[in-house]
Amino acid sequence: MTAAQPLLAAVDVHAGYGQHPVLHGVDLAVAAGESVALLGRNGMGKTTTIRALIGLTPISGGSVQLDGQPVTGLPAHRIARLGVGLVPEGRGIFPNLTVAEHLAVAARSSGGRGPAWDRTAVLALFPRLAERLDHLGTQLSGGEQQMLAIGRALMTGPRLLILDEATEGLAPRVRAEIWSVLARIRGEGVAILIVDRDLPQLLHLCDRAAIVVKGRIAFQGTAAALAADRAMQQRWLGV
Ligand SMILES: Nc1ncnc2c1ncn2[C@@H]1O[C@H](COP(=O)(O)OP(=O)(O)OP(=O)(O)O)[C@@H](O)[C@H]1O
Ligand SMILES: [Mg+2]
């Protein structure tokens, strides 16, 4: 792969819900192995951007390419199989499946081309899950559910891992554990696109950042450039 061809490239993406347009031309690129923070105030379109990129929300205009191949309009399961793992807002854990079953189902549906994570590797990342293999989704704490959501995404062998508010509502110690695991995942060469409220941690983890304002990308640049620009943080993130 050349530097000119990003792993994920979205150009002028438009999407919305029914008659309600939300994205008005989103341009976003993630290179192989790169980590990118997707930022913006509440309701600006971060989750919709993620969903549109991976086929969960239909696109009404623009294009998405993965590894140079057009994936615009492909169903989400096909895009997932090309090596995109999602850790969704709200975690998406099934109440009546056990930890072991969540991981097994993800492994069966895998076909990703990223680093191989098997159950042993995932349980090494999250030792708490190893102690709870036969617990149901409902029996897990919020932090354990989040770890399982990440582990499940890794089992599909993603080249790109997308996380939407993966530390939301968790205790500080659990949040710290998740940030440290994300750094290890990044170290394995997996590209990351991440939405989170913790700007310092995002700037620490990520190479680049993009800010969504009313369904458009208002800024896209290095994490260092965003870190240095307090005025931009104030204007678009309110921090
Ligand atoms: N399922 C839906 N049906 C209709 N409108 C929706 C739906 N989901 C989101 N929206 C609207 O789309 C806009 C963008 O929402 P989105 O969830 O993408 O924002 P966000 O940046 O992820 O916000 P948050 O920080 O609160 O998670 C908002 O105006 C929201 O009300
Ligand atoms: Mg959201």
Side-chain angles (χ1 to χ4, degrees):
M1 180 178 310
T2 65
Q5 181 185 288
L7 177 57
L8 177 82
V11 178
D12 196 26
V13 166
H14 292 246
Y17 302 96
Q19 294 303 305
H20 178 53
V22 174
L23 304 184
H24 306 280
V26 165
D27 294 306
L28 190 67
V30 182
E34 184 184 42
S35 47
V36 177
L38 189 59
L39 297 148
R41 288 195 168 109
N42 287 346
M44 287 295 181
K46 303 179 298 294
T47 296
T48 306
T49 296
I50 285 174
R51 292 177 55 89
L53 292 178
I54 62 175
L56 284 171
T57 292
I59 288 179
S60 54
S63 67
V64 182
Q65 291 197 338
L66 200 61
D67 226 359
Q69 303 300 311
V71 297
T72 320
L74 283 188
H77 69 269
R78 296 267 313 273
I79 295 179
R81 221 173 287 148
L82 294 170
V84 181
L86 174 67
V87 180
E89 201 173 30
R91 302 166 195 147
I93 295 304
F94 299 107
N96 53 353
L97 288 190
T98 65
V99 167
E101 285 165 348
H102 277 91
L103 297 178
V105 168
R108 264 206 299 276
S109 68
S110 73
R113 298 154 190 195
W117 301 81
D118 59 10
R119 192 171 104 158
T120 307
V122 165
L123 297 179
L125 273 186
F126 295 117
R128 283 166 65 159
L129 293 182
E131 297 160 16
R132 287 163 174 71
L133 279 172
D134 56 356
H135 284 43
L136 296 172
T138 47
Q139 296 173 305
L140 303 175
S141 70
E144 289 161 358
Q145 288 186 3
Q146 193 64 67
M147 292 171 193
L148 180 55
I150 297 171
R152 173 176 63 182
L154 289 177
M155 293 288 287
T156 68
R159 289 181 290 178
L160 171 65
L161 183 65
I162 301 181
L163 304 111
D164 194 352
E165 311 260 15
T167 66
E168 184 63 21
L170 302 180
R173 193 144 37 100
V174 181
R175 286 209 300 267
E177 185 179 345
I178 286 176
W179 286 111
S180 119
V181 164
L182 292 179
R184 286 170 65 182
I185 293 169
R186 177 179 184 238
E188 296 292 324
V190 178
I192 293 176
L193 178 63
I194 178 168
V195 173
D196 201 274
R197 282 159 211 243
D198 191 333
L199 183 62
Q201 288 283 11
L202 285 175
L203 294 175
H204 185 66
L205 178 78
C206 293
D207 305 298
R208 287 195 308 115
I211 300 179
V212 188
V213 178
K214 295 186 184 162
R216 291 188 176 85
I217 302 293
F219 163 86
Q220 192 161 183
T222 64
L226 177 57
D229 195 336
R230 293 286 303 160
M232 185 160 61
Q233 294 175 27
Q234 178 74 45
R235 179 167 171 211
W236 283 323
L237 307 175
V239 294

